[in-house]
C-alpha cells in the first residue's frame, strides 16, 4: 500500500517520494549542482583573464 502510494507520487513528480524510493541519489544531485554552477565561471574566465593580469601588473609598478 505505502509502496504503491510512493510510486504514484514519484510518477507525479514529487521529489521527496522519488528520494524515498531511491530514484534520486542525494550525492548525485550535489555533484550535478556543483558542475552546473561551475560551467558559467569556466566559460567566462578566458575572456576576462586579460583584465586580471592587467590589474596585477598595474598594481606592481613602482614610480
Amino acid at each position: 500500500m505505502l509502496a504503491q502510494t510512493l510510486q504514484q507520487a514519484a510518477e507525479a513528480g514529487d521529489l521527496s517520494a522519488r528520494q524515498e524510493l531511491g530514484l534520486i541519489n542525494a550525492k548525485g544531485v550535489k555533484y550535478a549542482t556543483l558542475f552546473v554552477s561551475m560551467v558559467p565561471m569556466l566559460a567566462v574566465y578566458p575572456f576576462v583573464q586579460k583584465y586580471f593580469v592587467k590589474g596585477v601588473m598595474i598594481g606592481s609598478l613602482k614610480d
Side-chain angles (χ1 to χ4, degrees):
M1 179 74 174
L2 180 61
Q4 184 180 11
T5 305
L6 284 173
Q7 185 66 34
Q8 289 173 349
E11 290 171 359
D14 185 15
L15 183 63
S16 62
R18 288 175 180 249
Q19 199 167 19
E20 187 74 30
L21 286 173
L23 299 175
I24 296 177
N25 184 0
K27 190 179 267 190
V29 172
K30 185 188 312 181
Y31 288 132
T33 304
L34 180 67
F35 181 76
V36 168
S37 66
M38 285 175 41
V39 168
M41 290 185 281
L42 292 174
V44 171
Y45 183 76
F47 299 107
V48 297
Q49 182 181 9
K50 62 183 174 185
Y51 299 110
F52 292 139
V53 172
K54 186 186 287 186
V56 169
M57 294 302 290
I58 288 173
S60 67
L61 294 177
K62 290 185 177 183
D63 285 330

